[in-house]
Amino acid sequence: MSILTTQKLADELFLRPIVISMNSLALSCLMSYVMSANGTLDWRPITICVTSDILAMGADHLKDKEEEFSSDRNIANDPRITSWFVYARTLLTASAVLLALALSQCPISTLLTTAAFVAPALLWTTPISFKKFGLISKRLLGRFGQDKHQPSTSAPTLVIKRIPGMKAIFNGIIRGCGIYAVVLSVLSGSGNLTNTLPSPWSVVQLIVWSTVNRSCHAIMTDVRDFEDDLKAGVPTIPVLLGSVLKTKVILTACHMLVMSAFIENPYIMGSCLFAAALVWMLGKHSPKKAFLFSSHSQSLFIIWYLLTRHIN
């Protein structure tokens, strides 16, 4: 087990959640801008997407590090270590307050949409027991005269993180489709939703590009952890394929397919080429911080688009 240090805590509890959420910031800004009728940025969906990202990832990392901290008696009384956990909870609390503030200014449909996409992320590592569902069904059946004294059987427990390929699927759907759904619900609720997106964008482009990009980035982080996951028997995509090379070929093909489908959009084309280059530049021996570049293969080209629109 690696030694828990203040630098490691700073990276896991602050740097990664904040840097990854910056992609949600860029993507939600783009969608808010091109989907609004007057071409403006709406702070509400942007705040919802960024704070939700920080909450989901920050809570997951905080839980992991707290378990690691509690199991190491050598650092149990280290005030420098414990202070970082206080800082992390403060960040999560502030994010939750901002999220609640933004949701309070939105229609109820936005709250339901946000809950639908954030809840699975918050339950990412939580063991879900079907025993409770079994007890509820038995009580309901008992009310209708069914036998209450049926022999009990062990109920299965589900951990979403352990389902093969679910990490990539969740990342793509939550950060791709989820951001679009939140922006759509806010703008439609305020009557500021445009009927036609400005060239060269379309709804299909935004959803497909962001979903595939986020899914591929999630798989790239599994490439980084390939050897550890292989030893531990974690069923990631690279482990299931049994090869980092095969994984990189598939990821490159995914980016090239998206680029070919939307070749008329120079921003998507540039983003896909950059993402494909990062696939081959980064590997299992690359430092973890280098993989943060992979999370921003969209952000750079979104900034390029917004700057050109502002200059023009």
Side-chain angles (χ1 to χ4, degrees), residues 128-142:
I128 302 173
S129 175
F130 293 96
K131 184 177 181 179
K132 293 182 180 180
F133 297 103
L135 292 174
I136 294 174
S137 63
K138 287 180 180 179
R139 290 176 181 176
L140 292 175
L141 290 173

Side-chain angles (χ1 to χ4, degrees), residues 134-200:
L135 292 174
I136 294 174
S137 63
K138 287 180 180 179
R139 290 176 181 176
L140 292 175
L141 290 173
R143 291 181 181 180
F144 293 99
Q146 298 293 329
D147 183 15
K148 299 181 182 179
H149 303 287
Q150 296 178 355
S152 60
T153 56
S154 59
T157 300
L158 173 68
V159 178
I160 299 175
K161 185 178 182 179
R162 296 300 177 183
I163 301 177
M166 193 56 65
K167 177 181 177 181
I169 295 173
F170 264 45
N171 270 272
I173 293 177
I174 292 174
R175 292 198 173 95
C177 302
I179 292 178
Y180 172 79
V182 169
V183 174
L184 177 65
S185 66
V186 173
L187 295 182
S188 59
S190 60
N192 192 30
L193 183 66
T194 185
N195 294 323
T196 306
L197 270 62
S199 176

